[in-house]
Amino acid sequence: MTLEFVVAQGCGLAVLVLAILTPQFKKMAVVALMETLINLLTAAQYFLLAEKVGAFTSVSATLYCLLIFLADRYLVRARKPCRAVLTGLYLISYVVIVVGGFAHFYDLLPLATAALFALSLVQKQVLGYNVCTVVKSFVNISYQCFTGAYSLILAQSFVLLSSIVAIARKLREKNKGRTN
């Protein structure tokens, strides 16, 4: 085991903690900030594992999260068109990164992850974010199995579980509100 491998798995464990917490937040602004940090740490892990496609897509996702947060915070009136432009640019960057770094068939999986991630981050409510995150987790786990990002497999498994718990909790709260 190399030092890079050990540090990479440490980044993945930090992602694990943050990723478990993120679906439980109630405001999309907090979710966007948490996703920024998660993607930054994920990029570090993939760089350390010499997985260019995963690393560059995570850098792109980091910038996307940060820009979505800033647009929501400071461009209130122009938020919808700004989100649409940012989402389009983000998805185009993913296509460029994947095509530029394509080496294995599994390098196509980040495209599906990117689309699901973009869709999750532009949801108005956290419940929609959580539903998208469940599907995205399955795709991420597949990619991580191929790339050797073992601690991220663990992290995504907990994200999946946390998202399912959050969905159940939010639906229960919603139904409780209807019956009262």
Side-chain angles (χ1 to χ4, degrees):
M1 254 191 285
T2 66
L3 178 61
E4 288 86 5
F5 181 81
V6 172
V7 173
Q9 301 312 319
C11 288
L13 292 175
V15 167
L16 169 66
V17 173
L18 296 173
I20 290 171
L21 296 173
T22 300
Q24 304 305 322
F25 289 107
K26 295 182 184 204
K27 296 191 182 229
M28 282 305 294
V30 177
V31 168
L33 285 175
M34 294 294 286
E35 285 288 353
T36 301
L37 187 54
I38 287 167
N39 280 291
L40 186 62
L41 288 167
T42 301
Q45 182 173 30
Y46 283 133
F47 273 121
L48 290 166
L49 292 171
E51 289 293 335
K52 291 186 295 187
V53 172
F56 287 120
T57 54
S58 294
V59 167
S60 178
T62 300
L63 294 173
Y64 175 67
C65 292
L66 187 59
L67 291 173
I68 286 288
F69 171 77
L70 293 172
D72 285 353
R73 180 117 180 158
Y74 298 108
L75 302 174
V76 177
R77 289 187 184 191
R79 186 173 90 180
K80 280 187 179 180
C82 188
R83 280 175 154 224
V85 168
L86 288 172
T87 301
L89 290 172
Y90 168 69
L91 292 174
I92 289 168
S93 77
Y94 254 68
V95 170
V96 169
I97 291 166
V98 169
V99 169
F102 186 81
H104 309 284
F105 75 93
Y106 61 79
D107 288 333
L108 297 175
L109 291 172
L111 285 176
T113 300
L116 290 163
F117 179 69
L119 182 62
S120 74
L121 208 58
V122 296
Q123 296 297 307
K124 290 182 181 182
Q125 297 184 353
V126 178
L127 180 60
Y129 163 83
N130 288 332
V131 171
C132 292
T133 300
V134 166
V135 179
K136 180 183 71 159
S137 291
F138 284 114
V139 177
N140 270 337
I141 289 169
S142 300
Y143 181 67
Q144 291 152 356
C145 284
F146 288 114
T147 63
Y150 303 119
S151 58
L152 284 181
I153 294 169
L154 181 63
Q156 280 301 312
S157 298
F158 279 107
V159 168
L160 179 62
L161 182 61
S162 181
S163 295
I164 290 169
V165 167
I167 290 168
R169 189 191 70 210
K170 288 168 185 154
L171 289 176
R172 189 173 44 246
E173 288 170 1
K174 196 179 224 182
N175 287 336
K176 191 183 265 188
R178 286 185 191 162
T179 58
N180 289 337

